[in-house]
Amino acid sequence: MTGISAALRVEDLVRVPALQLRVLAGEEGLGRPVAWAHVSELEDPTPWLLGSELIMTTGIAIPRTAARQRDYVERLDEAGVAALALSAHLHVPPLRPAFLAAAEQRGVPVLELPLQVPFIAVAQEVAAAVQADARKRLGAQLQIFGALRWLAVEDLTTAELVRRLERLSGYSLFLATPHGGSLLPDVPVPDARHAALLPSSADPPPTVPGGYVLPVPAPGGVAGYLLALERKGAQPAGLAVVQHIATVMALQVTIVRHERETLRRQGAETLAELLRDALDRDTARRHLARAGFAADTSVLIAVLDGADGPLDDAAAVNALDEAAVPYLVLRQHQELYALIPDSPAGLTALAAIPRTRAGVSRPFAPGAPLSVPRREAHLALTRAGASGQSVVVFSDGMTDRWLHEDPSVLRGLMRHVLGAAMRYDTEHEASLVVSTLTWLERDRCTEEAARVLHIHPNTLLYRLRRFAALSGRNLSSTGDLTEVWLALRAARMLGELR
């Protein structure tokens, strides 16, 4: 052994006099860690690599053309190779400028090893350093396994557990779902600078610049990814330790998911009772507090359906989980109800659910009866379907709340008030009903409504007079006008008008 530190870097090997290594390119990458030394004469050895290897070659592996040499360097870098060592004066072809430029750009150290220094000498130096480091890493691994005891005995929070693991491993730890959201509460997700290190493929290499990224498995597939980045001034414990941490995180994800599922079932029972108005205000508040709702925060009731097919309940739950807001969810026949806090995060979560429409009530106090908010949510969902919006929040302008819920009653109102005018429109390919609706939606401003309809104001006035005559309603009368407006809203709710 020649004084190499246990945490071996490429620069440590370069400083060993006996090896006589010379840096040809990629000097900025000399701080890369070396986990092993490996001889390869393959043009693409990456399928057999784990990362942080020093690749040694007599030159047979080096392609001859500039383009293939550049691709060779880029493949090694993407696989997390620590450095490339070439044996001088054997089979190394002329190194093209593109090869050296790629190594410089990516910070991949390219080293030249004199012919009189055998590869085994480099391998022995690396093995000696790895052996010394292995003893330290074994101690760290045993302590990582102790994390399972911490969970059982000390009742640590997830944040406390992660802080201990960071101190033991020498890494800063981050967790994220495959979409970059929060995987566990109180565990940070990678910031914008480090988010690019998260994998884009299903089976990524474990090595990334400055650390490792590993999948966190869970029943049904990968729950997310663990990103471990070396902390300045700390001695990183290596890939095996990070793999053990990923296992501990997988266990923690399973525990949290089980707790969430229990809370979801309890929450569904609570929401079912709330929708039946079966809980008094104080009992309802206690149940909501157990589900994480703040006592002084207003809540919203939402009803969801699929925009172009059946609603994916799991996608809705995942979006609410990633938003990290308290919620209650209940599937009731063809409808999915969600109770969420009155906050931008809750509404953003609803909007993030793919291929879904949501109607949302006005805010109301926790524990208040849900009969009116539930009706508002249904009316807002109808508006979402008509407008094509993914989320619509009920507003005071939605007079639909005064209409009956029974479609047969709505149809009777529509036919009684609008029947004659609708038949006229069908028989004469006219637009009396739509023209009247447009006029009322523009607050009876004839010029603006005519502009929207692309007709002359006099033409619109003629249509309004014709509609009034056929419907038997005086559009100057407040009572008649109200009846016409509600009938038009009923027609829209029934899908007769767009």
Side-chain angles (χ1 to χ4, degrees):
M1 187 71 179
T2 55
I4 300 175
S5 65
L8 185 65
R9 307 274 173 177
V10 177
E11 59 193 355
D12 297 319
L13 291 171
V14 173
R15 285 198 293 262
V16 176
L19 298 183
Q20 304 177 53
L21 289 167
R22 185 167 70 94
V23 181
L24 300 181
E27 189 169 353
E28 288 188 3
L30 291 177
R32 293 190 177 199
V34 180
W36 198 244
H38 184 69
V39 178
S40 174
E41 303 297 353
L42 297 175
E43 186 170 336
D44 184 11
T46 57
W48 292 272
L49 303 179
L50 289 176
S52 296
E53 293 91 353
L54 171 68
I55 298 297
M56 300 179 289
T57 176
T58 62
I60 296 174
I62 307 298
R64 268 50 184 169
T65 68
R68 289 173 62 194
Q69 284 188 1
R70 183 186 62 248
D71 292 343
Y72 176 76
V73 172
E74 291 176 349
R75 277 196 302 273
L76 295 183
D77 181 49
E78 289 167 3
V81 164
L84 175 67
L86 309 174
S87 183
H89 310 303
L90 274 181
H91 306 291
V92 179
L95 299 179
R96 309 294 182 180
F99 174 91
L100 298 173
E104 288 289 348
Q105 181 182 5
R106 290 181 170 250
V108 179
V110 177
L111 313 175
E112 185 179 67
L113 186 68
L115 185 59
Q116 65 271 22
V117 179
F119 287 162
I120 190 65
V122 178
Q124 285 175 338
E125 294 288 350
V126 174
V130 169
Q131 184 178 18
D133 192 39
R135 287 190 288 271
K136 175 182 176 296
R137 296 187 183 201
L138 178 60
Q141 290 179 36
L142 293 175
Q143 292 185 71
I144 296 298
F145 281 123
L148 303 179
R149 181 176 59 82
W150 303 337
L151 286 173
V153 176
E154 300 185 41
D155 195 25
L156 297 180
T157 66
T158 303
E160 291 168 338
L161 172 65
V162 169
R163 282 196 294 270
R164 286 198 186 183
L165 294 174
E166 287 181 329
R167 288 196 298 270
L168 281 173
S169 66
Y171 295 96
S172 294
L173 302 177
F174 305 88
L175 287 174
T177 66
H179 303 295
S182 174
L183 181 59
L184 283 176
D186 302 320
V187 180
V189 298
D191 58 21
R193 184 164 54 96
H194 293 130
L197 300 177
L198 294 176
S200 56
S201 62
D203 188 21
T207 304
V208 295
Y212 302 98
V213 62
L214 294 174
V216 177
V222 173
Y225 294 94
L226 169 68
L227 177 63
L229 298 177
E230 297 173 8
R231 287 191 291 113
K232 188 174 182 180
Q235 197 156 59
L239 177 59
V241 167
V242 177
Q243 288 172 327
H244 293 318
I245 293 175
T247 301
V248 173
M249 291 297 99
L251 176 62
Q252 189 69 358
V253 166
T254 300
I255 292 172
V256 170
R257 283 188 172 183
H258 177 72
E259 292 172 348
R260 283 177 177 170
E261 185 57 35
T262 300
L263 289 174
R264 268 197 289 271
R265 286 197 293 268
Q266 294 172 348
E269 294 172 3
T270 297
L271 185 51
E273 292 176 313
L274 290 172
L275 289 170
R276 295 198 307 270
D277 288 333
L279 298 178
D280 62 76
R281 184 181 294 268
D282 290 339
T283 302
R285 285 177 178 271
R286 287 197 300 273
H287 285 205
L288 291 176
R290 283 200 296 269
F293 287 84
D296 57 349
T297 301
S298 298
V299 294
L300 307 167
I301 186 72
V303 60
L304 301 88
D305 70 4
D308 51 12
L311 174 64
D312 184 352
D313 290 13
V317 168
N318 288 339
L320 291 167
D321 279 340
E322 290 203 17
V325 295
Y327 65 89
L328 307 181
V329 169
L330 173 67
R331 164 62 70 178
Q332 200 170 71
H333 307 301
Q334 300 302 313
E335 299 165 330
L336 185 71
Y337 289 96
L339 187 76
I340 59 175
D342 177 22
S343 67
L347 294 175
T348 300
L350 294 180
I353 304 172
R355 298 181 297 280
T356 301
R357 286 188 298 254
V360 185
S361 72
R362 290 178 296 182
F364 59 96
L370 264 68
S371 55
V372 172
R374 180 182 186 178
R375 172 97 172 113
E376 292 175 351
H378 277 282
L379 293 173
L381 180 63
T382 301
R383 174 68 63 86
S387 65
Q389 297 173 270
S390 61
V391 177
V392 171
V393 180
F394 185 88
S395 66
D396 290 328
M398 294 184 185
T399 53
D400 301 5
R401 67 185 184 275
W402 302 111
L403 294 171
H404 202 283
E405 294 185 12
D406 189 342
S408 63
V409 175
L410 296 178
R411 196 168 297 280
L413 171 63
M414 178 188 72
R415 289 172 176 168
H416 177 65
V417 178
L418 308 177
M422 294 179 79
R423 285 192 297 274
Y424 181 90
D425 282 347
T426 301
E427 293 169 1
H428 298 84
E429 296 184 355
S431 302
L432 301 183
V433 175
V434 170
S435 297
T436 304
L437 174 62
T438 304
W439 178 66
L440 290 174
E441 286 179 334
R442 268 66 185 177
D443 295 326
R444 292 171 290 170
C445 178
T446 304
E447 290 75 13
E448 184 180 347
R451 186 164 53 252
V452 172
L453 292 167
H454 305 292
I455 59 176
H456 194 276
N458 289 340
T459 303
L460 176 57
L461 290 173
Y462 167 77
R463 291 180 182 179
L464 294 174
R465 288 193 297 272
R466 189 73 180 129
F467 173 88
L470 289 168
S471 64
R473 267 68 180 177
N474 179 2
L475 297 183
S476 299
S477 163
T478 301
D480 284 0
L481 192 65
T482 301
E483 190 176 24
V484 168
W485 174 247
L486 291 175
L488 288 167
R489 300 305 303 167
R492 173 163 281 177
M493 288 179 65
L494 291 169
E496 299 292 338
L497 292 176
R498 296 294 179 188

